[in-house]
Amino acid sequence: MGEDLTSCQKCMKYLLFVLNIVFFLCGVAMLGTGIWILVDYPSFTMVLDTPLLKSGVYLLIGIGGVVAIISFLGCFGALKESKCLLVLYALIMLLMVIGELAAAGCIFYFGYSNVEQTLLKAANDTFIKYGEDNAITDSWDAIQEVGECCGILGVDDFQYTKFTDDKFPDSCCVRLNIQDTEYLNTTACHLEIDGYYHNVGCLDKLKSFVTGNVGIAAGIAIGIAVIQIIGIVGGCILCRAG
């Protein structure tokens, strides 16, 4: 088959090979992003304990793994100029493009259009267990310290929880610096003196976290879809050469 290729087809052959290397790297990026969210931000995934978020993260990991594997099929088919492999590759790519574009649309719709309502419900479901469930309590404390916020909408939210030590926990107090575990002044903090406690809720922080990662995930999905479309065209051109 290789001897019958025109210069344009040979160029497409090696372009398809290079594209699949890029495709592989994009798949690894998706896989890494999903694992990164699970490993580096366990507090957020604990607090936002919703099927939508968890499914999205695991779907990202799954698609990334599949993309990385299929890229090898494209590389091998292009180098060996195997019509059978290239047809299989093009069909799989077409199905994945349709799925990824649909997923990206859902991500943007659910991630941006309904994000505040979804987050508020998810945060409420876990926040009411503050002071009762140690894992959830620790997760909320971590979010409040890192996000420099308090409660869902503000310091008054803790009246609806099992927390009874004070109006709000020390994790709502301002720390000496972001790396420090010591607080500026907990006495002044619980007296609600400005500058010593965080008087804003965490809902906006959670929204920024989710929409930021939604943007990354959707952007990667769209970028991969574009590369796949080029790959499908390249695969078809090589198949016609056979």
Side-chain angles (χ1 to χ4, degrees):
M1 179 179 174
E3 295 178 355
D4 299 325
L5 294 180
T6 65
S7 297
C8 179
Q9 290 167 340
K10 286 181 180 178
C11 180
M12 185 56 69
K13 168 184 173 178
Y14 293 109
L15 177 60
L16 185 60
F17 176 79
V18 172
L19 282 177
N20 275 282
I21 295 297
V22 176
F23 184 38
F24 172 78
L25 295 176
C26 288
V28 171
M30 292 178 71
L31 184 64
T33 299
I35 295 173
W36 170 65
I37 292 173
L38 290 178
V39 174
D40 280 5
Y41 291 93
S43 297
F44 286 95
T45 52
M46 171 71 75
V47 167
L48 301 179
D49 187 17
T50 65
L52 180 62
L53 179 63
K54 286 188 173 180
S55 297
V57 173
Y58 288 117
L59 182 63
L60 188 65
I61 293 173
I63 291 176
V66 172
V67 163
I69 293 171
I70 292 176
S71 65
F72 283 109
L73 178 64
C75 287
F76 189 77
L79 288 178
K80 295 296 183 180
E81 301 168 15
S82 169
K83 186 172 183 178
C84 180
L85 287 178
L86 288 171
V87 169
L88 179 61
Y89 169 77
L91 287 175
I92 294 175
M93 288 298 98
L94 180 60
L95 292 175
M96 289 193 68
V97 167
I98 295 172
E100 285 163 6
L101 291 178
C106 290
I107 286 172
F108 273 112
Y109 177 76
F110 290 109
Y112 287 103
S113 301
N114 300 326
V115 64
E116 192 159 342
Q117 298 92 326
T118 302
L119 287 179
L120 185 58
K121 182 182 184 305
N124 273 323
D125 289 344
T126 57
F127 188 75
I128 58 174
K129 298 177 184 178
Y130 188 95
E132 180 180 3
D133 186 303
N134 290 334
I136 288 176
T137 300
D138 291 342
S139 295
W140 269 103
D141 283 340
I143 288 175
Q144 290 174 156
E145 290 176 346
V146 174
E148 299 181 342
C149 53
C150 188
I152 299 175
L153 301 176
V155 296
D156 295 327
D157 292 343
F158 289 92
Q159 63 182 304
Y160 305 109
T161 70
K162 299 291 185 180
F163 181 76
T164 56
D165 294 349
D166 214 316
K167 183 177 180 180
F168 52 84
D170 288 348
S171 56
C172 290
C173 298
V174 175
R175 291 187 290 176
L176 293 174
N177 56 66
I178 193 65
Q179 289 83 24
D180 208 316
T181 56
E182 294 184 18
Y183 298 103
L184 196 59
N185 188 319
T186 54
T187 301
C189 168
H190 289 288
L191 290 174
E192 298 183 41
I193 298 175
D194 288 343
Y196 291 94
Y197 77 109
H198 304 303
N199 58 0
V200 295
C202 295
L203 184 61
D204 287 340
K205 302 287 184 178
L206 294 171
K207 182 178 178 181
S208 296
F209 166 77
V210 172
T211 55
N213 284 289
V214 161
I216 292 172
I220 291 174
I222 292 173
I224 288 178
V226 171
I227 295 173
Q228 286 172 319
I229 290 172
I230 298 173
I232 292 170
V233 173
C236 292
I237 291 174
L238 289 179
C239 283
R240 290 183 63 186

